[in-house]
């Protein structure tokens, strides 16, 4: 599909009446397809049909690294991708590798779906990671640093500084850094200090000149200062270099023999037995304090580290030799985010400003968008970041808070920003006397502390705050406004694929539906009652809800496509997700492929499905698109015999999403389905740049003539100039 054939905003802007084109049920198939024993056996005979999820994730992070290696990308964006690679890998070790080690230690090491034992997976992870981090260090040292120097941004070491620059660093050390440093010695009176996770540290070997006795000391590099210290003229030196050169001040009268940087990654996953917790908030706060003290899972050291110092660290930290990564410094490249933020626009992606969706502002006006008026006229399918979050979802809630006709607001919150206007709107609504229900998921990984803060702020304002369901994370993205109108009570509903977070909405690609569709509103109202009360309505007309019905609902839809194909009607399956891991879903897709149904998957991260295997998955193709925005939306599109249906929502095809979370998929009203189809046409077009997965689990980059995100940005710009 050519870019020119896209609608002006990347989506069809024609108004759709609510429910128009949506049949009461999906296209009827008589008889419904149910795989028999032989068909199931034809899939299950392939013992190696699942790729390993952990190794697949590492391949995803490799694709991030390949963006850092891409000479066609703006230079500071390449630096940022190096930082993202580091932070991605940190979280992977803190959670996934830590969990793997915990299972091995507990003796519950059962084979993964890939057939690999946890010990085998762990060895493969460590070996693969070693190659990737060495590759990252090489890209940083040999490509990015010299390229930055060519454009006047220099990342240098202490010996490269001139006298004035060294004086600047000396003043910084004396006035700001030195007062916060705490050297910790190791001797019979001072046990080996606790090393917090992801902290950067100096291992210092010192000698008493009187006794000639050597001692070990640790100095933590304070995280409150910039990782790369500016010394003027866009020249930067690592903070640890500045500290290293002034250690004499920390150990007066001692000889500093050797200094080496090191970094420890610990198990930082949370374990809260909420069934036994009297107060889940208190239990979680206690566990957060313990998080910093989890067992080590990785030790990174400079390659120049002395053998005796390394031996001491390995012994005291309790890591194995395999978990030690020796790298050329500097360690911890997350600090490159600061470099990428430098005001050098010519070295970044071209500036991009989201615009208000045309259906929300059909005429140019300085007045705020009236979301209620627009949504009454037609459903609005939002596509962020191309469509502004501020003038749509955020405006929706702010307008609801200020509108005297609004009676109630119901909202789920999984993650939001630190200075969230969403929270402010909910507080304002409660203080104005409206009924406000907020389902806060306080177990949102690494955002727990922020969510506890917001939960308390909301409670103090008079909101009804519920912490989800025991045993389940509430991950669905729902907002409902109940409004008293002349013709009666009307429900306005927003169902999205991403968090209610104004900051990430500018970086994450997500979809959201604004609608007054009564069937959808009724379903969402029932679901909120399930989340806040004791009702357990597990059936819905327009929603699929995990853990009750998403897996079975999607498998049924996949089977229906098989029936359409066998009956000679049009059949095709297109899925877009962050991860595809669930074995039942994958096996259903294999069945569809064996029957001859074309299947296209767009997967950003993990994919355990093996495409292109003769006799198993010959009709399945898998693509991955990465770029300036993080592809985050989930789409499930089915040809349905010539009457396509599409679902969007919060659920990935992973066990945790389908079994241990409250997730929602909504069936899109008719007019929106075509918009999704055109988006997928562009994503799967042969000329669109993407990585393609082969049957061995390797990804290969296809350099197309256009990039999906660039095409959508260009369409958005055309819309802005012509509207």
């Amino acid at each position: 599909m050519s870019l020119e054939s896209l609608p002006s905003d990347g989506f069809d802007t024609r108004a759709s009446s609510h429910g128009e084109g949506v049949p009461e049920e999906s296209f009827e198939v008589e008889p419904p397809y149910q795989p028999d024993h032989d068909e199931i056996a034809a899939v299950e005979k392939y013992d190696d049909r699942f790729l390993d999820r952990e190794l697949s994730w590492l391949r995803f992070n490799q694709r991030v690294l390949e963006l850092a290696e891409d000479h066609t990308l703006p230079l500071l964006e390449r630096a940022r991708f190096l930082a993202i690679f580091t932070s991605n890998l940190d979280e992977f070790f803190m959670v996934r590798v830590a969990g793997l080690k915990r299972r091995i230690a507990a003796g519950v090491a059962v084979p993964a779906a890939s057939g690999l034992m946890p010990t085998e997976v762990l060895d493969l992870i460590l070996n693969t990671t070693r190659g990737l981090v060495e590759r990252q260090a090489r890209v940083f040292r040999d490509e990015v640093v010299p390229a930055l120097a060519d454009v006047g941004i220099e990342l240098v070491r202490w010996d490269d500084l001139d006298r004035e620059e060294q004086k600047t660093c000396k003043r910084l050390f004396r006035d700001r850094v030195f007062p916060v440093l705490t050297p910790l010695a190791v001797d019979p009176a001072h046990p080996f200090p606790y090393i917090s996770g992801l902290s950067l540290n100096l291992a210092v070997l010192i000698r008493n000149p009187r006794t000639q006795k050597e001692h070990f000391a640790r100095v933590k590099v304070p995280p409150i200062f910039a990782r790369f210290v500016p010394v003027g003229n866009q020249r930067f030196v690592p903070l640890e270099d500045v500290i290293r050169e002034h250690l004499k001040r920390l150990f007066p009268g001692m000889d500093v023999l050797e200094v080496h940087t090191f970094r420890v990654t610990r198990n930082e996953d949370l374990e809260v037995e909420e069934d036994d917790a009297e107060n889940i908030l208190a239990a979680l706060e206690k566990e957060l304090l313990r998080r910093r003290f989890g067992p080590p899972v990785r030790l990174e050291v400079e390659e120049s580290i002395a053998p005796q110092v390394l031996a001491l660290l390995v012994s005291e930290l309790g890591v194995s030799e395999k978990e030690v990564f020796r790298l050329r410094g500097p360690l911890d490249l997350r600090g490159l985010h600061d470099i990428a933020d430098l005001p050098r626009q010519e070295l970044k992606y071209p500036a991009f400003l989201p615009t208000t969706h045309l259906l929300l502002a059909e005429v140019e006006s300085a007045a705020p968008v009236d979301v209620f008026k627009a949504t009454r006229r037609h459903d609005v399918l939002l596509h962020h970041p191309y469509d502004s979050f501020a003038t749509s979802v955020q405006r929706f809630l702010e307008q609801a808070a200020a509108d005297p006709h609004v009676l109630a607001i119901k909202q789920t919150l999984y993650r939001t920003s630190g200075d969230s206007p969403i929270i402010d709107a909910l507080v304002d609504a409660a203080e104005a006397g409206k009924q406000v229900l907020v389902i806060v998921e306080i177990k949102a990984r690494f955002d727990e502390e922020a969510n506890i803060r917001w939960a308390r702020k909301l409670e103090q304002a008079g909101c009804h705050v519920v912490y989800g369901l025991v045993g389940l994370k509430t991950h669905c993205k729902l907002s409902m406004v109940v409004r008293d109108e002349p013709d009666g009570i009307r429900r306005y509903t927003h169902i999205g694929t991403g968090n209610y977070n104004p900051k990430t909405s500018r970086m994450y690609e997500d979809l959201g539906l604004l609608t007054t569709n009564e069937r959808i509103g009724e379903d969402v109202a029932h679901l909120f009652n399930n989340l806040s009360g004791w009702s357990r309505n597990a059936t819905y007309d327009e929603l699929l809800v995990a853990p009750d019905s998403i897996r079975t609902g999607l498998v049924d839809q996949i089977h229906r496509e098989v029936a359409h194909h066998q009956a000679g009607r049009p059949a095709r399956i297109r899925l877009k997700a962050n991860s595809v891991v669930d074995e039942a879903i994958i096996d259903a897709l294999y069945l569809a492929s064996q029957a001859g149904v074309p299947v296209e998957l767009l997967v950003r991260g993990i994919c355990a499905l093996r495409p292109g295997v003769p006799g198993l998955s010959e009709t399945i193709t898998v693509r991955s698109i990465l770029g300036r925005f993080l592809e985050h939306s989930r789409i499930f599109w089915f040809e349905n015999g010539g009457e396509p249906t599409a679902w969007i929502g919060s659920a990935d095809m992973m066990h945790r999403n389908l079994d241990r979370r409250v997730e929602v998929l909504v069936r899109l009203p008719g007019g929106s389905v075509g918009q999704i189809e055109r988006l997928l046409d562009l994503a799967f077009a042969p000329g669109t740049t993407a990585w393609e997965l082969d049957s061995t689990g390797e990804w290969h980059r296809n350099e197309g003539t256009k990039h999906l995100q660039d095409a959508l940005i260009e369409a958005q710009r055309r819309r802005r100039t012509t509207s």
Side-chain angles (χ1 to χ4, degrees):
M1 171 177 159
S2 68
L3 179 59
E4 287 71 29
S5 64
L6 276 173
S8 61
D9 63 345
F11 284 135
D12 189 356
T13 59
R14 291 173 296 176
S16 64
S17 62
H18 304 298
E20 183 185 358
V22 180
E24 290 284 319
E25 298 295 333
S26 296
F27 195 107
E28 287 300 322
V29 174
E30 295 291 348
Y33 171 77
Q34 271 304 326
D36 59 28
H37 179 269
D38 290 342
E39 289 171 313
I40 293 170
V43 168
E44 292 181 343
K45 73 178 184 181
Y46 293 86
D47 293 334
D48 62 344
R49 64 189 185 275
F50 301 117
L51 298 169
D52 187 82
R53 60 155 294 165
E54 314 300 353
L55 300 179
S56 181
W57 185 92
L58 286 172
R59 295 287 177 249
F60 154 68
N61 212 29
Q62 178 179 316
R63 297 196 293 280
V64 174
L65 183 57
E66 287 175 21
L67 290 174
E69 296 170 331
D70 187 344
H71 293 267
T72 67
L73 294 187
L75 184 55
L76 289 184
E77 305 299 345
R78 294 176 65 193
R80 191 180 303 281
F81 282 121
L82 285 174
I84 292 170
F85 174 90
T86 298
S87 52
N88 283 351
L89 198 60
D90 289 345
E91 184 170 337
F92 177 70
F93 269 82
M94 288 189 296
V95 178
R96 298 302 305 179
V97 176
L100 204 56
K101 285 192 66 176
R102 193 165 61 238
R103 290 198 296 280
I104 294 169
V108 291
V110 297
S114 62
L116 297 171
M117 293 298 291
T119 49
E120 295 176 284
V121 175
L122 185 58
D123 285 344
L124 287 165
I125 286 172
L126 294 173
N127 290 335
T128 305
T129 300
R130 199 172 308 282
L132 288 176
V133 294
E134 288 170 357
R135 181 172 162 185
Q136 180 201 25
R138 191 166 55 250
V139 172
F140 173 73
R141 181 182 69 247
D142 298 342
E143 295 186 26
V144 173
V145 168
L148 287 170
D150 289 343
V151 295
I153 302 171
E154 297 181 82
L155 304 182
V156 300
R157 306 309 293 260
W158 180 266
D159 291 340
D160 301 316
L161 300 177
D162 61 32
R163 289 187 55 134
E164 283 304 310
E165 290 169 335
Q166 289 184 357
K167 284 182 181 177
T168 299
C169 291
K170 287 180 187 292
R171 284 195 298 273
L172 173 72
F173 182 84
R174 182 189 66 221
D175 298 341
R176 296 189 55 78
V177 180
F178 179 71
V180 303
L181 293 179
T182 304
L184 296 173
V186 176
D187 59 32
H190 299 89
F192 191 86
Y194 179 80
I195 312 295
S196 54
L198 302 187
S199 62
L200 192 63
N201 302 270
L202 299 179
V204 187
L205 201 61
I206 55 177
R207 182 175 61 204
N208 188 322
R210 283 190 300 113
T211 64
Q212 295 299 300
K213 192 170 181 180
E214 294 182 1
H215 302 274
F216 174 86
R218 172 261 192 161
V219 178
K220 180 177 178 178
V221 178
I224 57 175
F225 300 114
R227 177 73 179 79
F228 292 99
V229 177
V231 294
N233 297 320
Q234 294 198 327
R235 281 165 60 86
F236 301 85
V237 63
L239 179 58
E240 63 268 27
D241 282 19
V242 177
I243 297 172
R244 188 195 309 255
E245 289 302 313
H246 297 86
L247 285 174
K248 284 271 189 193
R249 292 205 54 190
L250 285 175
F251 303 100
M254 306 291 280
D255 297 330
V256 178
L257 303 178
E258 295 185 31
V259 187
H260 310 282
T261 57
F262 70 97
R263 184 172 180 254
V264 176
T265 311
R266 295 184 175 275
N267 178 347
E268 299 204 15
D269 207 8
L270 288 174
E271 294 180 77
V272 177
E273 295 296 331
E274 53 187 294
D275 296 42
D276 303 328
E278 193 71 28
N279 185 324
I280 190 170
L281 235 61
L284 190 59
E285 286 177 311
K286 189 175 178 181
E287 183 64 26
L288 284 168
L289 291 173
R290 280 204 300 268
R291 172 184 270 177
R292 292 171 297 168
F293 303 95
V297 294
R298 177 179 60 162
L299 172 63
E300 298 167 275
V301 299
E302 279 189 301
E303 61 182 7
S304 58
I305 194 167
Q308 70 268 32
V309 176
L310 179 58
L312 176 68
L313 291 174
V314 167
S315 169
E316 292 288 349
L317 292 167
V319 296
S320 69
E321 288 290 341
K322 292 188 295 187
E323 295 167 329
V324 177
F325 292 82
R326 303 177 70 130
L327 299 164
R328 282 189 67 174
L331 304 180
D332 188 6
L333 294 182
R334 292 177 301 170
L336 288 174
H337 278 299
D338 291 338
I339 303 301
D341 287 338
L342 289 172
R344 296 286 299 273
Q345 193 54 51
E346 76 277 13
L347 303 176
K348 301 180 183 184
Y349 287 123
F352 168 76
L353 287 174
T355 55
T356 301
H357 195 290
L358 284 184
L359 293 184
L360 293 177
E362 296 180 23
V363 290
E364 192 80 29
S365 172
V369 171
D370 188 334
V371 179
F372 297 149
K373 183 179 178 182
T375 310
R376 280 196 303 273
R377 285 200 298 264
H378 32 60
D379 304 309
V380 181
L381 184 62
L382 301 163
H383 195 197
H384 309 299
Y386 314 100
D387 295 318
S388 167
F389 181 90
T391 60
S392 56
V393 181
Q394 183 180 319
R395 172 62 188 157
F396 173 57
L397 288 166
E398 289 172 341
Q399 185 179 348
D403 189 334
H405 300 289
V406 168
L407 306 177
I409 301 173
K410 300 185 179 187
Q411 177 77 43
T412 63
L413 282 181
Y414 188 74
R415 301 186 198 271
T416 189
S417 59
D419 51 350
S420 174
I422 303 296
I423 298 289
D424 292 342
L426 295 171
V427 166
D428 290 345
E431 290 176 344
K434 297 172 174 50
Q435 291 288 315
V436 180
L437 169 69
V438 189
I439 314 294
V440 178
E441 181 48 73
I442 56 174
K443 301 186 296 298
R445 182 175 286 147
F446 306 120
D447 275 346
E448 297 93 346
E449 291 176 276
N451 287 12
I452 289 170
R453 257 193 334 270
W454 292 126
R456 292 196 162 131
K457 180 177 178 178
L458 290 164
E459 283 181 323
Q460 289 164 2
C463 300
H464 301 295
V465 178
V466 176
Y467 304 116
L469 299 176
V470 171
L472 298 173
K473 278 190 180 181
T474 304
H475 188 248
C476 52
K477 322 299 181 185
L478 304 173
S479 185
M480 171 175 280
V481 172
V482 181
R483 193 166 185 266
D484 189 6
E485 299 184 352
D487 55 348
I489 298 292
R490 192 187 303 269
R491 297 187 181 104
Y492 295 80
T493 305
H494 174 267
I495 302 177
T497 67
N499 295 308
Y500 291 93
N501 188 326
K503 289 185 177 176
T504 58
S505 71
R506 295 193 288 271
M507 298 176 285
Y508 285 26
E509 177 272 341
D510 273 302
L511 294 161
L513 176 69
L514 279 168
T515 183
T516 60
N517 182 294
E518 291 182 10
R519 289 163 63 93
I520 294 174
E522 190 73 18
D523 279 356
V524 172
H526 282 312
L527 180 54
F528 270 115
N529 290 341
N530 291 345
L531 292 172
S532 64
W534 291 104
S535 60
R536 288 295 293 135
N537 178 38
T539 59
Y540 304 90
D541 293 325
E542 306 298 325
L543 304 183
L544 295 175
V545 180
D548 297 312
S549 61
I550 288 184
R551 179 185 285 111
T552 55
L554 289 176
V555 168
D556 286 348
Q557 300 240 17
I558 294 167
H559 287 173
R560 192 175 287 121
E561 291 304 301
V562 175
H564 285 308
H565 181 76
Q566 292 175 341
R569 291 187 289 268
R572 184 165 50 163
I573 299 166
R574 289 171 152 183
L575 306 184
K576 180 178 183 293
N578 296 314
S579 299
V580 177
V581 173
D582 186 74
E583 291 85 7
I585 299 281
I586 292 174
D587 276 350
L589 293 171
Y590 285 149
L591 276 169
S593 180
Q594 288 182 328
V597 178
V599 179
E600 296 172 303
L601 304 184
L602 187 60
V603 184
R604 187 188 84 235
I606 306 167
C607 183
L609 179 146
R610 205 185 281 274
V613 177
L616 177 68
S617 55
E618 292 171 85
T619 68
I620 303 179
T621 58
V622 181
R623 306 188 119 200
S624 184
I625 293 176
L626 278 69
R628 68 183 294 176
F629 306 132
L630 185 142
E631 293 288 325
H632 192 251
S633 65
R634 294 89 165 181
I635 299 171
F636 307 86
W637 184 94
F638 304 93
E639 185 78 51
N640 194 38
E643 296 185 11
T645 60
W647 304 71
I648 65 168
S650 57
D652 277 307
M653 301 299 93
M654 302 179 73
H655 304 139
R656 70 184 188 193
N657 299 93
L658 304 181
D659 296 323
R660 300 190 300 277
R661 293 184 172 186
V662 180
E663 306 275 14
V664 169
L665 304 182
V666 60
R667 179 164 52 184
L668 292 177
S672 303
V673 176
Q675 301 171 28
I676 291 295
E677 186 173 356
R678 285 182 284 279
L679 175 65
L680 294 175
D681 283 345
L682 180 57
F684 290 115
T688 298
T689 298
W691 282 264
E692 296 178 350
L693 181 63
D694 67 20
S695 59
T696 69
E698 295 294 325
W699 293 85
H700 308 276
R701 195 169 185 183
N702 159 44
E703 290 293 350
T705 56
K706 59 178 173 286
H707 192 282
L708 173 67
Q709 296 178 357
D710 291 343
L712 292 171
I713 287 172
E714 182 56 34
Q716 186 257 13
R717 283 179 177 146
R718 286 203 311 271
R719 181 184 75 184
R720 191 170 64 214
T721 56
T722 57
S723 62

